[in-house]
Amino acid sequence: MDAVRRLLPELSTSLRKGNCGRMGVIGGSMEYTGAPYFAAISMLKVGADLSHVFSPPDAAPVIKSYSPELIVHPNLVPGSWLQRLDSLLVGPGLGREEKSMDVARESILEAQRIDCPLVVDAVGHPLSLIFELSAAAAAASQQSQHKPIILTPNAVEMDRLAQKVLQAATLGRPLDEIKEIASKVAGLLNMHIFVKGPIDMFAAADGSVRLFDTEGTPRRPGGIGDCLSGVLTVFALWAHRSNEPLSTAAEAASFFVRECSRRAYKEIGRGMTATDVIAQVAPLVKHID
Amino acid sequence: MDAVRRLLPELSTSLRKGNCGRMGVIGGSMEYTGAPYFAAISMLKVGADLSHVFSPPDAAPVIKSYSPELIVHPNLVPGSWLQRLDSLLVGPGLGREEKSMDVARESILEAQRIDCPLVVDAVGHPLSLIFELSAAAAAASQQSQHKPIILTPNAVEMDRLAQKVLQAATLGRPLDEIKEIASKVAGLLNMHIFVKGPIDMFAAADGSVRLFDTEGTPRRPGGIGDCLSGVLTVFALWAHRSNEPLSTAAEAASFFVRECSRRAYKEIGRGMTATDVIAQVAPLVKHID
């Protein structure tokens, strides 16, 4: 809770639209329209000012229909919009097409060039894309030590990543061994890795590892990971601006989404969905503020 | 209520997304977009993790727009997705086109091949499709005794089915005679038949018949049958996994949707719709859990 409080920007009447964060999400596909929505709406509810979503032309109108709050561009390529964004999340619901992978790779490189804090989510993607994203992010990261790049694999994706990078599996291993492997992978790729799981793990590029195990929910409906990626992207921006370490953003995001999930489960029970978790975002920020 | 409680999977923080059920719905048409939505969203609200809907390209964007929680594929053919599903519901809103019938038949046969528990709903379909689906399911079922196949006709569809299979009408007959006919039809087709009506009836493939007459609602808006099919598909999966008989899943689904309907009618009155019934799903699961 303290981590979240440290990151919240001070509000005042002299602020202008956009000052608390002009966010971008590159994602969505013909199949997955919910994922970029969950990420982008979570960004607004946690306190960012604007959420731009960049999606394929056949997915964009559907994503628009979920909420008038989002600015949805019918194009996966942000182009000149990128320079007007403060922070970018790449990946939610991006799908598996070759073209989407190319766009993701290009956008990551471009975002790095203009110093845009970046979270890369690879939920549900095949190994090849996870690795391509990782490699692109790593390459970009090596150009500068100061840009926060965070990958957000789940346990299965982390296992694939570790196998590819280190030839070491992580699934089913004791926590201490996973920590060690995650630390090495983060160091080798020169980026931060937030591993989503029963216990969240943040392995920083400098090799340090932190664990977050606030109580959450035993339910696992789709979309909660997208909510986390969205909140994390906002917290990463705020941490970047206030010179807090990125691990504070990770701690804050893990606590925040777990607490929202716990509240949703307590209120709704087994039938809770990602929408119920998102309904808790604004009340929880208000409570912490 | 006890039947529902027996089926609910135990929740724990070590569960992964998908463990409580990756569901599929093949359905929808240019005219009927609500039916697959009602079925798929009921699946999530009763406690499954993921709902994939497979619909024609002109229906899919509309179904997507109803809820970001659903993963809607603009294709009636699940193809390789089928292997990633735990259970499948075929039929809601499928329409009457020849092509849809072919897809339904193929999907049923394919689902049987990969041991995917299956519910076939034929609401509103002409006799030829009901019988084609029945025949396909029966043929597939004969390859294995262990796969739960459930047909869910309403009273009129049951009458047509009985006339076709046994040259015996059921409409207007005394309950005892309907039971006998349903038992024979289920045995001949080698599948389970859940007959939706003022009193729900479950005729198992082994010839046993059970009746469920929990109080429901005197109102009959469209969509409640789709809600039932969705809930039944989830309960059938959970019964399959915990070696409970399918009649327990039928009892649980009948009780569950009738109780949701009773609560919706009590709260909303004559103006209740399927959406009001679905709003009762999560609270009722929470109450039972």
Side-chain angles (χ1 to χ4, degrees), chain A residues 30-32 34 37-38 62 65-66 96 171 198 218-222 265-271 273-275, chain B residues 8-9 11-13 15-17 45 47-50 64-65 67-69 71-74 81 84 282 285-286 289:
Chain A
M30 202 141 72
E31 291 84 10
Y32 294 98
Y37 161 75
F38 291 135
V62 174
S65 78
Y66 295 146
R96 297 157 186 247
L171 274 182
R219 282 283 294 130
R220 298 281 177 270
Y265 180 66
K266 191 175 168 209
E267 184 181 323
I268 310 289
R270 182 186 293 265
T273 62
T275 297
Chain B
L8 295 177
L11 297 181
S12 85
T13 52
L15 287 176
R16 296 225 186 93
K17 184 168 74 176
K45 301 275 182 190
D49 284 341
L50 296 167
K64 283 173 201 279
S65 76
S67 167
E69 319 278 2
I71 303 158
V72 186
H73 304 256
W81 278 101
R84 284 180 261 176
V285 177
K286 185 166 189 284
D289 219 353

Side-chain angles (χ1 to χ4, degrees), chain A residues 87-144:
Chain A
S87 195
L88 187 65
L89 167 63
V90 181
L94 197 56
R96 297 157 186 247
E97 284 182 33
E98 190 82 32
K99 201 184 142 209
S100 305
M101 289 190 217
D102 288 344
V103 170
R105 200 193 303 102
E106 286 310 309
S107 298
I108 290 167
L109 292 167
E110 182 67 23
Q112 281 305 303
R113 205 157 38 230
I114 60 167
D115 199 19
C116 180
L118 189 62
V119 173
V120 177
D121 185 54
V123 173
H125 292 147
L127 176 60
S128 58
L129 178 57
I130 293 176
F131 192 64
E132 284 202 61
L133 293 182
S134 311
S141 171
Q142 274 153 6
Q143 296 164 17
S144 158

Side-chain angles (χ1 to χ4, degrees), chain B residues 1 175 179 194-202 209-218 220 228 247 250-259 261-262:
Chain B
M1 178 122 58
L175 197 58
K179 276 177 71 171
F194 186 113
V195 189
K196 298 177 280 191
I199 295 174
D200 290 333
M201 181 183 294
F202 183 74
V209 179
R210 293 182 61 191
L211 300 177
F212 311 118
D213 61 353
T214 314
E215 185 187 348
T217 167
R220 297 282 178 271
L228 175 81
S247 65
E251 179 188 354
S254 174
F255 163 78
F256 193 88
V257 177
R258 282 167 174 261
E259 174 62 11
S261 302
R262 188 190 65 76

Side-chain angles (χ1 to χ4, degrees), chain B residues 112-144:
Chain B
Q112 282 305 303
R113 207 156 36 230
I114 62 169
D115 199 18
C116 181
L118 189 61
V119 173
V120 178
D121 184 54
V123 174
H125 292 146
L127 176 60
S128 60
L129 178 57
I130 294 177
F131 192 64
E132 284 201 62
L133 293 182
S134 310
S141 170
Q142 275 153 4
Q143 295 163 18
S144 158

Side-chain angles (χ1 to χ4, degrees), chain A residues 110-273:
Chain A
E110 182 67 23
Q112 281 305 303
R113 205 157 38 230
I114 60 167
D115 199 19
C116 180
L118 189 62
V119 173
V120 177
D121 185 54
V123 173
H125 292 147
L127 176 60
S128 58
L129 178 57
I130 293 176
F131 192 64
E132 284 202 61
L133 293 182
S134 311
S141 171
Q142 274 153 6
Q143 296 164 17
S144 158
Q145 294 303 321
H146 301 293
K147 293 163 189 168
I149 306 175
I150 311 178
L151 284 185
T152 55
N154 61 27
V156 173
E157 290 158 351
M158 183 62 216
D159 180 73
R160 290 185 195 143
L161 188 61
Q163 292 206 34
K164 188 88 175 181
V165 176
L166 274 188
Q167 286 75 50
T170 53
L171 274 182
R173 290 227 184 171
L175 197 59
D176 274 351
E177 292 181 29
I178 301 177
K179 275 177 72 174
E180 201 176 314
I181 293 169
S183 166
K184 281 185 189 161
V185 173
L188 275 167
L189 295 174
N190 190 27
M191 64 181 122
H192 313 290
I193 305 179
F194 186 113
V195 189
K196 299 176 280 190
I199 294 175
D200 291 334
M201 182 183 293
F202 183 73
D206 66 7
S208 64
V209 179
R210 293 183 60 193
L211 301 178
F212 311 118
D213 63 352
T214 314
E215 186 186 347
T217 168
R219 282 283 294 130
R220 298 281 177 270
I224 297 182
D226 304 309
C227 177
L228 175 82
S229 306
V231 168
L232 177 60
T233 307
V234 176
F235 287 168
L237 171 66
W238 292 345
H240 186 61
R241 284 177 171 177
S242 56
N243 291 315
E244 287 276 348
L246 269 183
S247 65
T248 304
E251 179 187 354
S254 175
F255 163 80
F256 193 87
V257 176
R258 282 167 175 260
E259 174 62 10
C260 285
S261 302
R262 188 191 66 76
R263 290 174 172 211
Y265 180 66
K266 191 175 168 209
E267 184 181 323
I268 310 289
R270 182 186 293 265
M272 65 174 271
T273 62

